[in-house]
Amino acid sequence: HLKTELRKVFSSVLKLSAGVEDYIRHSTKRYETDHYSLNYHLLAAHADAQLRIVPKLFLNLSARSEHVSYNHDWLLMPRATLSYVPNKRFQLSAMIGRYSQTANDDYIAMSGRQLSQSTADHAILSMQYSTPKMLLRIEPYYKKYRHLPLLGKNGIYTADGYGTSRGVDVFVENHSIVKNLTTTFSYSFNDSERYYLDYAKPQTPDFASRHNLRLSLKYGFGKTIIGLSESYIS
């Protein structure tokens, strides 16, 4: 009945899937010290619908739900991707969605097993152009983080941390310069700021480099491949 009703609005293609995932993510973690013992598991389920609105325009709607046993929290994460594919060479996609991450076990224990899962809201625009000899992909993005573990003045972790990340990724692959030679170029710009862990104020994390540049060459002859790569990070 659902398929019949949706076909009145959307044309041609409709694919639905739902239920508990084929793999149930089960992680048992035990830490025996003088301070605590921690044991929990994570259960996840999802629902997914793929629709063709009109020729060359596609919509993917999905939702993921997770349950963490140590504090019995439920988390719902909706996601949507709209893709325009006018031909075999070009594709334009826009994606929004929420994703989650379970905190480090030490932080969970030091919160009295009350630390909520961290979430990240993503907004990504992807533009891709490909030919038999070349691939170009450009992806600007924005991410907003919530419920990050933050160390309070009393030495107990809370889920009051937050942050943002914005930037752009560029990837180019070429096969046409010399026969059997593949060259790839990638560059990413990232402006990230977080207020979490033991930070006294919002700041750029140590692991978040602003500029990342990588060039690689790969030449193959017979069953042998020779590669060379150079990376620059600041």
Side-chain angles (χ1 to χ4, degrees):
H1 177 69
L2 176 60
K3 290 184 178 180
T4 302
E5 292 300 317
L6 286 174
R7 282 196 181 110
K8 294 179 181 179
V9 181
F10 301 99
S11 66
S12 299
V13 176
L14 171 63
K15 297 180 181 179
L16 298 174
S17 64
V20 176
E21 294 176 355
D22 293 335
Y23 71 95
I24 296 178
R25 184 178 173 191
H26 181 82
S27 177
T28 302
K29 303 185 179 181
R30 304 175 188 274
Y31 287 82
E32 302 291 346
T33 69
D34 295 336
H35 304 289
Y36 70 86
S37 174
L38 184 64
N39 180 15
Y40 67 92
H41 64 84
L42 178 69
L43 178 67
H46 80 281
D48 183 275
Q50 300 181 41
L51 314 167
R52 184 168 69 188
I53 303 176
V54 295
K56 303 179 182 181
L57 186 63
F58 302 87
L59 177 65
N60 178 275
L61 298 173
S62 64
R64 178 181 173 90
S65 181
E66 294 182 351
H67 175 264
V68 183
S69 65
Y70 65 78
N71 62 358
H72 303 290
D73 269 357
W74 281 97
L75 183 63
L76 179 64
M77 294 169 285
R79 301 163 187 173
T81 301
L82 183 65
S83 299
Y84 175 61
V85 188
N87 52 56
K88 295 181 178 180
R89 293 189 175 185
F90 181 76
Q91 178 174 327
L92 177 65
S93 299
M95 186 277 287
I96 57 174
R98 175 166 293 181
Y99 297 82
S100 69
Q101 182 173 359
T102 306
N104 180 283
D105 294 322
D106 292 341
Y107 306 152
I108 295 174
M110 294 174 67
S111 71
R113 306 187 185 188
Q114 297 301 313
L115 194 61
S116 302
Q117 286 183 274
S118 301
T119 62
D121 294 327
H122 292 197
I124 302 173
L125 180 64
S126 177
M127 296 166 283
Q128 180 171 303
Y129 179 79
S130 62
T131 68
K133 296 293 185 179
M134 187 268 292
L135 169 66
L136 169 64
R137 183 168 60 247
I138 303 174
E139 292 185 344
Y141 62 87
Y142 175 81
K143 303 176 183 180
K144 187 170 185 178
Y145 304 98
R146 295 185 175 92
H147 308 300
L148 300 180
L150 179 66
L151 184 61
K153 295 181 179 179
N154 55 1
I156 296 177
Y157 278 91
T158 68
D160 296 331
Y162 57 87
T164 59
S165 180
R166 69 196 75 187
V168 60
D169 295 331
V170 179
F171 177 82
V172 182
E173 183 177 272
N174 190 285
H175 303 272
S176 62
I177 299 176
V178 177
K179 185 179 180 180
N180 299 328
L181 178 68
T182 300
T183 61
T184 60
F185 167 85
S186 61
Y187 169 76
S188 66
F189 170 80
N190 177 261
D191 179 16
S192 183
E193 188 175 78
R194 295 192 186 190
Y195 179 51
Y196 79 138
L197 301 184
D198 58 351
Y199 286 17
K201 62 180 181 179
Q203 65 186 61
T204 301
D206 293 337
F207 60 83
S209 52
R210 177 156 295 197
H211 300 280
N212 302 269
L213 180 67
R214 182 179 178 86
L215 176 64
S216 67
L217 307 174
K218 184 173 66 175
Y219 184 79
F221 53 95
K223 296 183 178 180
T224 303
I225 296 176
I226 298 177
L228 175 67
S229 65
E230 177 72 15
S231 299
Y232 172 79
I233 299 174
S234 75

